[in-house]
Amino acid sequence: MSEQISKKTPTDFLKHILGQQVFVRLNSGVDYKGVLSCLDGYMNIALEQTEEYVDGELRNRYGDAFIRGNNVLYISSI
């Protein structure tokens, strides 16, 4: 029986979520929700329609936000 195994890489995931709503957690524990407009190989992230959450509470809304990659703990699609 031959099964075709589909291997997905983190790069495939990131390409798939471009233009979609994402959740980004920073090493500091601050969270951002917004539309992923672009990112690079260093995980520098550009978000649109961004909301900033501190301790689960909405603190700020930004049109655009740029997050330096070395501060990113993880990114997930919503």
Side-chain angles (χ1 to χ4, degrees):
M1 175 167 91
S2 72
E3 288 185 31
Q4 196 172 40
I5 298 174
S6 170
K7 293 186 179 182
K8 298 208 178 204
T9 66
T11 303
D12 294 334
F13 168 74
L14 293 171
K15 286 179 184 176
H16 178 73
I17 63 170
L18 274 174
Q20 295 183 19
Q21 280 277 88
V22 295
F23 177 86
V24 179
R25 172 150 297 164
L26 304 186
N27 295 326
S28 65
V30 176
D31 300 324
Y32 290 89
K33 291 181 184 176
V35 177
L36 181 63
S37 59
C38 67
L39 64 117
D40 65 13
Y42 296 102
M43 285 295 291
N44 295 317
I45 296 171
L47 296 176
E48 298 173 342
Q49 304 168 23
T50 309
E51 297 177 337
E52 177 184 53
Y53 292 86
V54 177
D55 296 326
E57 181 180 317
L58 179 62
R59 288 290 172 97
N60 283 304
R61 291 178 195 228
Y62 306 105
D64 295 325
F66 300 94
I67 302 171
R68 188 171 174 186
N70 67 335
N71 294 314
V72 176
L73 182 62
Y74 69 85
I75 180 171
S76 65
S77 60
I78 297 178

